[in-house]
Amino acid sequence: MCGIVGIVGQSSVNLALYDSLTVLQHRGQDAAGIVTSDKRRLYLRKDNGLVRDVFHTRHMRNLPGNMGIGHVRYPTAGSSGSAQAQPLYVNSPYGIALAHNGNLTNSEVLSGEIFRDDLRHLNTDSDSEVLLNILAHELQKQHKINPNAEDVFAAIRALHKRCSGAYAVVAMIVGYGIVGFRDKFGIRPLVFGKRKVRKGYEYMLASESVALDSQGFTLIRDVAPGEAIWIDMDGNVQSQQCADDSRLTPCIFEHVYFARPDSRIDGVSVYSSRIKMGEKLAKKIMRERPDHGIDVVIPIPDTSRTAAVELANALGVKFREGFVKNRYIGRTFIMPGQSQRKKSVKQKLNAIPQEFQDKNVLLVDDSIVRGTTCKQIIEMARDAGARKVFFCSASPPVKYPNVYGIDMPAVSELIAHGKTVEEVQKAIGADWLLFQDLSDLIDACTAEILPMDFECSVFNGVYVTGDVTEAYLATLEARRNDSAKNKKDREHDLFGVDSGDEEEGQLSLHSNG
């Protein structure tokens, strides 16, 4: 999962891009990058690390221009390192930079086509580089010295026909403008907004509406599935539907975990959806465990807090903050290896004993993926004096890997795969365990104003793009399992692979326009 942003302004955009990426930091903590355009030159800074660590004053001074894009990244499928930090760049045609959130499911096939048919070189195994080169090739086929909006839309129409999977993209064409587009299912989010300035309007595309809010932009709408929005250097905006058979099927895990609660995605308030998750969990508890015996409801911070508050209110049970979170530890879900995740849990959370002592405690989390984190947290609750520890998940059991940009672990590492609820309960050490029903989760996240389905593959194994085979999943399993990740980490430590590499400064090639 990554965060992307693009701005066409009337003054320098480097600070607005930086601030937007800071707001989107929850979407990726592995690497960050910004590229700006000024007088037909590109200026780039990207490196491993958090936004605040990648960009210092000297870097910001070297990012001039009224147009730019930015990216925060977390590694998928075991890949990491600054060689894959974004934005990525190609010099022909025009000079194009691109930032991408999602995952192509046919990237290996496309890589062969790019080399064999398009006569282009790929320098990494990143599917984002595949997207960039396909966009560049399709733009080059338009044979225009000065491309217009229709040329850009034609290239994206051709891209949609070649690419499968999930992708929300912002791309900058040097000297011309910025385009944002989503795959035909709208799996990954992308929003569009504007703000009034003295001479007119400035425009932003971003993964979540909070990025717009933070910079004083007004949300206009979500980019529709298959749609492309083109903003030229003069602030003229054009849009076009570029994909056949588009339908809105966003990833439901955005509402469960990834998105900030103050965001709106496809017309739905993430905060409201999490409130409804809590309401529905409370109803399920009353159906299945009317004599629940819960003394206190405690969230596992931070994502589950909204649902936990509403659950406690609906049950008429006390809500308490029983864990203190270290704000300087990253999100454990996106830690690259199992050993690092285990180590980080006790660094990240500490129990407040008086909230647990001699009480029957209900812990609420957004989901259970590997089960190792919640097992350790349950042990912490017992060590703090809890009499009994119950556990609720605001989402259904995670049983299948994600192929659309979330680094869900290998199937063999998903605690609920092939297990009953009772078996999972025993494995994590809870006195009883309750999962959200998928139908209730879907209902909690559904917009009343838009017809939509949801991409729920991690819960039901149904992959909406229709091209995910057993062979593909087997390959993914081999790349994602922790032994493969630990081997990569050992190679990194031994050989210094991708250690401390960075890229910044002026890209030396002029655009052709």
Side-chain angles (χ1 to χ4, degrees), residues 243-320:
D244 299 328
D245 303 321
S246 62
R247 60 187 176 93
L248 183 57
T249 316
C251 174
I252 204 165
F253 215 71
E254 291 279 354
H255 289 273
V256 171
Y257 177 81
F258 273 106
R260 276 181 39 159
D262 45 343
S263 285
R264 295 187 66 86
I265 297 177
D266 294 308
V268 180
S269 161
V270 176
Y271 178 77
S272 295
S273 68
R274 290 178 183 167
I275 285 178
K276 292 177 183 177
M277 291 177 205
E279 292 175 350
K280 293 177 182 298
L281 274 175
K283 290 179 181 178
K284 185 170 183 180
I285 290 173
M286 292 307 297
R287 286 196 310 270
E288 298 191 4
R289 295 188 175 270
D291 300 322
H292 51 72
I294 300 167
D295 296 319
V296 62
V297 173
I298 293 177
I300 298 173
D302 283 316
T303 322
S304 64
R305 181 175 289 112
T306 306
V309 169
E310 194 61 26
L311 185 155
N313 288 339
L315 292 179
V317 174
K318 289 181 181 178
F319 172 87
R320 290 289 187 268

Side-chain angles (χ1 to χ4, degrees), residues 157-297:
R157 279 196 295 273
L159 179 148
H160 283 314
K161 292 177 181 178
R162 297 180 65 179
C163 297
S164 182
Y167 46 94
V169 174
V170 289
M172 180 168 63
I173 304 176
V174 182
Y176 295 100
I178 286 178
V179 64
F181 57 94
R182 292 171 83 181
D183 67 79
K184 70 177 185 177
F185 297 99
I187 297 172
R188 294 286 151 238
L190 189 64
V191 297
F192 172 55
K194 67 179 181 180
R195 69 179 176 189
K196 186 78 170 65
V197 293
R198 187 176 60 180
K199 297 180 181 179
Y201 288 96
E202 298 179 320
Y203 295 92
M204 180 191 290
L205 293 151
S207 291
E208 294 184 33
S209 60
V210 288
L212 304 177
D213 299 339
S214 71
Q215 302 306 303
F217 283 75
T218 300
L219 174 64
I220 297 174
R221 60 181 175 85
D222 296 85
V223 179
E227 182 186 27
I229 294 181
W230 169 251
I231 310 159
D232 69 22
M233 290 286 291
D234 297 321
N236 299 307
V237 179
Q238 298 180 64
S239 64
Q240 191 171 115
Q241 177 54 248
C242 297
D244 299 328
D245 303 321
S246 62
R247 60 187 176 93
L248 183 57
T249 316
C251 174
I252 204 165
F253 215 71
E254 291 279 354
H255 289 273
V256 171
Y257 177 81
F258 273 106
R260 276 181 39 159
D262 45 343
S263 285
R264 295 187 66 86
I265 297 177
D266 294 308
V268 180
S269 161
V270 176
Y271 178 77
S272 295
S273 68
R274 290 178 183 167
I275 285 178
K276 292 177 183 177
M277 291 177 205
E279 292 175 350
K280 293 177 182 298
L281 274 175
K283 290 179 181 178
K284 185 170 183 180
I285 290 173
M286 292 307 297
R287 286 196 310 270
E288 298 191 4
R289 295 188 175 270
D291 300 322
H292 51 72
I294 300 167
D295 296 319
V296 62
V297 173

Side-chain angles (χ1 to χ4, degrees), residues 316-388:
V317 174
K318 289 181 181 178
F319 172 87
R320 290 289 187 268
E321 295 283 355
F323 293 104
V324 175
K325 181 180 178 181
N326 183 347
R327 304 291 174 180
Y328 303 97
I329 297 293
R331 303 180 86 176
T332 52
F333 179 88
I334 60 178
M335 295 290 180
Q338 181 73 347
S339 60
Q340 189 174 350
R341 284 188 296 272
K342 285 183 177 179
K343 181 180 178 182
S344 70
V345 174
K346 289 195 175 182
Q347 292 176 329
K348 180 178 180 179
L349 295 177
N350 192 43
I352 301 173
Q354 57 264 41
E355 298 298 349
F356 295 89
Q357 190 67 46
D358 297 324
K359 295 176 183 176
N360 294 336
V361 178
L362 173 62
L363 301 181
V364 181
D365 206 354
D366 54 79
S367 59
I368 301 175
V369 182
R370 298 169 181 87
T372 51
T373 297
C374 61
K375 181 178 180 179
Q376 291 181 72
I377 291 172
I378 289 169
E379 290 172 355
M380 291 171 65
R382 294 197 191 281
D383 291 343
R387 185 187 308 116
K388 290 185 178 181

Side-chain angles (χ1 to χ4, degrees), residues 6-25:
I7 300 176
V8 176
Q10 297 190 14
S11 58
S12 180
V13 298
N14 57 355
L15 184 58
L17 288 168
Y18 173 91
D19 289 340
S20 298
L21 291 183
T22 301
V23 171
L24 295 173
Q25 186 75 84

Side-chain angles (χ1 to χ4, degrees), residues 394-422:
S395 64
V398 175
K399 296 184 176 183
Y400 305 94
N402 185 278
V403 302
Y404 299 126
I406 303 175
D407 194 22
M408 289 289 186
V411 166
S412 58
E413 295 165 0
L414 295 170
I415 192 170
H417 182 75
K419 290 188 178 72
T420 65
V421 173
E422 290 74 21

Side-chain angles (χ1 to χ4, degrees), residues 35 42-46 62-63 503-508:
V35 60
L42 290 179
Y43 298 83
L44 172 67
R45 165 67 181 173
K46 61 180 180 178
N62 291 328
L63 292 170
E503 189 170 352
E504 69 175 293
Q506 177 179 302
L507 294 174
S508 59

